[in-house]
Amino acid sequence: MPHYRAAWLLPISQPPIRDAWLRTDRGRIVAFGHTRPGDFTSPDEIDLGEVAVLPGLVNAHTHLELSWMRGRIPETDDFDGWIRRVIELKNQSARHGDDFSASIDEAILEARAFGTVLIGDITNTLATSRPLQEHGMAAVVFHELLGFRDEDAARLMEEATARLEGEPASDLVRHALAPHAPYSVSPALFGLIRAALQHAPFARSSVHLGESAAEIEFLKHGTGPWREGLEQMGKWDPSWVFPRSGPVEYLDRMGFLDDRVLVVHGVHLTAVELKRLASIGVTLVTCPRGNMRTGAGEAPIEDFFASGMRVAVGTDSLASVPDLNLFSELEEMRRLAPALPARVLLESATINGARALGFEADFGTIDSGKRDALIAVQLNGYVPSVEEYLVSGIDASQITWIPAS
Ligand SMILES: [Zn+2]
């Protein structure tokens, strides 16, 4: 039964513990606390030294299958141009029949090296499901659907269901269906995914919402780059009646939103919309570094928290960020919201993500009974506030995994 000592322990469910001890057994946390002078020292004790021990982090939103796009799309302030470039690259690769499995493997290893224990992964192809299983990375694999024409909804849903049935699920890697966004998914398809959620044994969903100004224009006025894009791609549905509302009201009226849904980005949602989401109990997943680089805009981090919503954090894909370092997302959140306590930012990257993805019994806090999937972050020199230190930028070289018992 391994017994550890460390300068700091951050259970997340309670304040940091100085000079801490921790015991684990057969993969689970057994007990932990503050070391008092004269406390018994066990012979198999492992002194981790000047480190902060915390639960493995939760990346609540990424697209591992886009990992091969790393470095291929320049930073821009034109979101519409950015997403067109992603579509172009996807189409090119589909024509070449490229195999991106190596980049998916690398991305999973990279996420782990940055201290990630659980991933909310968005995939159109399900290519990430098997690698996640093979690497033993806990995940919710959201099979994301796109299709703006109502008439295609039943077929798209049938195909997706058949693909999912062919994928081995496990306790570690679970599957769910996710509509991409209000401007790319028909009301009929939203309805079918919603209906499936009612019967799914593991019921979660995710939707990109309020990501760009163009999305708001499309829903309120039926015009702008999304309308043009859908028409150009031959995917416009002339029977679609624009809702004349913001995205929250649009999905709310459809009955799509509830506390099992992860709403991703939310950059362009109003205070009223954020409050509504908070009252429904959805989790908002912010991806602040990606938002800056894709031209979506600056994530209103303080507004998210002020609304009372549960906020989780993701890196988004390597098409938009240079790495899968969640600590860098926390650093960006700290930059955008200097007044927020570091504690709540750390909750975003741990327990809030674990709850949103339905893995809170295993991950997200250091509490007895949870998995011993813990990381030790090297503290370089005197640290006045360990929580503040952890949101000020941590590199992979500072992170080690505590050996599993
Ligand atoms: Zn995304």
Side-chain angles (χ1 to χ4, degrees):
M1 197 190 279
H3 188 136
Y4 300 97
R5 280 183 194 246
W8 287 100
L9 193 75
L10 278 87
I12 303 295
S13 51
Q14 55 174 283
I17 302 170
R18 180 102 181 97
D19 297 326
W21 60 269
L22 168 84
R23 273 205 305 278
T24 64
D25 187 26
R26 283 166 287 175
R28 299 276 160 183
I29 297 161
V30 174
F32 59 91
H34 170 65
T35 311
R36 280 174 295 271
D39 267 4
F40 173 71
T41 312
S42 95
D44 60 352
E45 181 180 288
I46 300 162
D47 189 353
L48 299 166
E50 285 299 305
V51 298
V53 172
L54 63 154
L57 304 186
V58 181
N59 187 345
H61 183 82
T62 186
H63 303 240
L64 293 170
E65 74 187 1
L66 302 184
S67 296
W68 63 278
M69 291 187 191
R70 179 175 357 216
R72 296 200 188 205
I73 308 178
E75 192 172 337
T76 176
D77 53 13
D78 167 23
F79 181 76
D80 172 48
W82 185 87
I83 215 158
R84 279 168 192 256
R85 185 74 190 121
V86 172
I87 294 168
E88 264 172 43
L89 283 173
K90 268 191 187 176
N91 290 344
Q92 278 170 21
S93 74
R95 278 198 298 276
H96 298 148
D98 294 341
D99 176 13
F100 300 116
S101 54
S103 65
I104 294 169
D105 287 335
E106 268 169 44
I108 294 168
L109 294 174
E110 175 175 327
R112 178 166 291 141
F114 283 119
T116 311
V117 75
L118 168 65
I119 291 178
D121 182 51
I122 308 288
T123 171
N124 303 122
T125 63
L126 286 175
T128 54
S129 175
R130 209 167 286 266
L132 285 161
Q133 300 263 16
E134 284 166 4
H135 288 283
M137 174 67 87
V140 176
V141 173
F142 290 103
H143 188 20
E144 180 187 72
L145 307 186
L146 291 99
F148 194 71
R149 283 189 309 220
D150 261 356
E151 66 194 65
D152 297 334
R155 176 182 57 81
L156 290 168
M157 192 66 185
E158 254 169 54
E159 290 169 358
T161 310
R163 274 193 299 273
L164 278 176
E165 278 166 6
E167 284 298 322
S170 67
D171 279 350
L172 199 67
V173 176
R174 302 169 188 171
H175 294 119
L177 285 167
H180 170 252
Y183 54 83
S184 56
V185 171
S186 63
L189 189 50
F190 268 110
L192 290 175
I193 295 173
R194 170 74 212 179
L197 199 61
Q198 302 295 67
H199 310 294
F202 175 70
R204 287 289 184 284
S205 196
S206 164
V207 61
H208 296 88
L209 208 67
E211 185 172 8
S212 67
E215 173 185 331
I216 312 296
E217 180 186 351
F218 180 67
L219 297 178
K220 286 198 168 160
H221 309 290
T223 55
W226 291 136
R227 168 74 182 261
E228 290 157 24
L230 287 166
E231 283 178 345
Q232 278 164 16
M233 290 186 285
K235 298 191 170 169
W236 171 247
D237 186 335
S239 70
W240 185 69
V241 180
F242 62 96
R244 296 173 193 272
S245 75
V248 171
E249 193 182 325
Y250 179 47
L251 294 199
D252 207 8
R253 266 193 256 143
M254 280 181 205
F256 185 76
L257 299 170
D258 68 22
D259 60 2
R260 300 168 299 178
V261 175
L262 286 72
V263 162
V264 183
H265 299 310
V267 175
H268 294 273
L269 300 182
T270 64
V272 172
E273 289 177 301
L274 294 175
K275 271 240 147 29
R276 175 65 190 144
L277 289 178
S279 71
I280 296 168
V282 307
T283 299
L284 185 125
V285 185
T286 183
C287 306
R289 285 191 305 166
N291 293 154
M292 295 300 274
R293 287 160 200 259
T294 59
E298 202 173 280
I301 303 294
E302 284 181 5
D303 296 348
F304 292 160
F305 283 94
S307 73
M309 214 164 12
R310 184 186 298 155
V311 180
V313 59
T315 56
D316 216 346
S317 74
L318 287 169
S320 65
V321 291
D323 56 50
L324 298 178
N325 186 354
L326 265 180
F327 283 106
S328 297
E329 299 298 338
L330 289 174
E331 188 185 2
E332 180 71 350
M333 287 171 85
R334 159 53 78 232
R335 188 182 74 77
L336 294 169
L340 282 176
R343 174 182 53 81
V344 303
L345 301 182
L346 290 168
E347 285 169 0
S348 300
T350 53
I351 185 59
N352 290 359
R355 279 209 187 105
L357 294 172
F359 273 90
E360 70 273 24
D362 286 324
F363 304 118
T365 65
I366 296 179
D367 279 305
S368 60
K370 291 212 187 186
R371 293 262 306 267
D372 62 354
L374 309 175
I375 54 172
V377 177
Q378 194 70 43
L379 306 170
N380 294 327
Y382 171 69
V383 173
S385 157
V386 66
E387 290 173 323
E388 203 55 56
Y389 181 83
L390 291 169
V391 300
S392 65
I394 300 293
D395 190 63
S397 63
Q398 292 173 261
I399 302 167
T400 49
W401 285 91
I402 296 203
S405 58

